[in-house]
Amino acid sequence: ESLNFMSKTSFKKCRRIGQKLFLKGERCFTPKCAMIKKPYAPGIHRKKRRVLSEYGAQLIEKQKVCHIYNLRERQFRRYISEAARKKGVIEENLVKKIELRLDNIVFRLGLADSRRRARQLVSHGHVLVNDRKINLPSFQTKPGDIIKIKKLSQDSVSFKDLKTKLKKYKPFDWLSLDKNNLEGKIISLPTQENVNIPADLKMIVEYYSR
């Protein structure tokens, strides 16, 4: 029942935002996707969406990223603060913080069909970073790190048919993937341009600058 509840909650997040956030992996690409079946906010019964204020629009952009990366408000606020303290463009610094999370890397490598699933795999100890078991989804990886599924885990139900699914999968250029060994490597740092997050990061920075 809990998994079914999580699915419904994820669908409602997309409908409330008014945009596909791809929170449910492959299902988001099928006619079963909630944004195809019910392309309107939950509870409003096809009424037109209200025109948002500047603050409301910024809030929506912030919520998009929190939903996409499965982040709590406190976590995301910390990432914004850390990005602001570093040299360079805040938005670019933020991209690096959220994209280099271990659960996101597992998802980006195609080793999980959603970030929520990737988070579970990491938490359950299935993932190694440089041959060391890491069970913290928020663990910050870096270029040169090698991420792989533990050998003992590869024959489990969790990874059934994964190698077959990966045959057609192509990761981003800043990642490399050994599909036979379920192993990937971070080649370079991610940027706004090469991850294409479907949210306005500048508006998010402005939201937290209030």
Side-chain angles (χ1 to χ4, degrees):
E1 289 182 3
S2 60
L3 285 175
N4 188 42
F5 171 75
M6 285 167 59
S7 297
K8 289 180 179 178
T9 302
S10 296
F11 294 150
K12 284 184 178 180
K13 286 176 180 177
C14 293
R15 291 174 58 203
R16 193 168 289 119
I17 293 294
Q19 179 180 332
K20 271 193 183 188
L21 301 178
F22 301 96
L23 304 179
K24 296 304 297 178
E26 293 179 1
R27 186 182 180 114
C28 297
F29 296 94
T30 71
K32 293 182 179 180
C33 174
M35 283 301 294
I36 293 177
K37 295 171 69 176
K38 298 180 179 180
Y40 49 88
I44 67 171
H45 307 295
R46 301 177 184 269
K47 291 180 183 177
K48 289 185 178 180
R49 294 177 181 273
R50 291 182 300 173
V51 177
L52 293 173
S53 64
E54 182 182 9
Y55 174 81
Q58 292 169 348
L59 178 62
I60 288 291
E61 296 304 307
K62 186 268 291 187
Q63 289 175 332
K64 282 183 191 177
V65 175
C66 285
H67 292 335
I68 290 169
Y69 290 89
N70 197 24
L71 300 173
R72 297 187 299 274
E73 168 64 24
R74 188 174 179 181
Q75 283 180 306
F76 193 51
R77 185 179 290 274
R78 187 177 75 248
Y79 287 153
I80 289 283
S81 178
E82 291 172 356
R85 288 199 300 268
K86 283 191 172 184
K87 290 182 179 179
V89 180
I90 298 177
E91 293 88 341
E92 288 289 353
N93 293 338
L94 178 61
V95 166
K96 293 177 179 64
K97 294 297 294 186
I98 56 180
E99 280 289 326
L100 290 173
R101 284 174 54 99
L102 180 55
D103 55 356
N104 181 70
I105 294 296
V106 171
F107 167 69
R108 290 296 196 193
L109 287 170
L111 303 177
D113 63 1
S114 69
R115 289 181 178 84
R116 187 179 294 277
R117 180 60 180 152
R119 183 186 184 93
Q120 292 175 336
L121 295 178
V122 174
S123 297
H124 294 166
H126 294 298
V127 179
L128 303 179
V129 179
N130 301 327
D131 290 322
R132 184 164 64 99
K133 184 174 76 173
I134 302 292
N135 57 12
L136 187 65
S138 62
F139 178 82
Q140 285 286 302
T141 60
K142 61 185 184 303
D145 282 350
I146 295 174
I147 291 85
K148 59 185 176 183
I149 302 301
K150 194 166 58 174
K151 276 289 183 185
L152 291 176
S153 299
Q154 291 187 19
D155 295 326
S156 69
V157 177
S158 297
F159 301 98
K160 184 182 178 181
D161 300 326
L162 178 57
K163 290 182 181 179
T164 301
K165 292 178 181 178
L166 286 176
K167 287 181 179 179
K168 297 181 180 180
Y169 184 76
K170 187 179 184 303
F172 285 116
D173 292 341
W174 52 280
L175 299 169
S176 66
L177 176 63
D178 182 338
K179 298 178 181 180
N180 291 323
N181 294 314
L182 302 185
E183 175 180 314
K185 183 177 182 180
I186 303 173
I187 300 173
S188 59
L189 290 171
T191 65
Q192 282 192 82
E193 186 177 347
N194 63 21
V195 296
N196 193 26
I197 300 172
D200 190 325
L201 299 185
K202 187 174 182 180
M203 287 181 71
I204 296 171
V205 172
E206 291 171 353
Y207 172 85
Y208 283 102
S209 299
R210 288 174 174 272

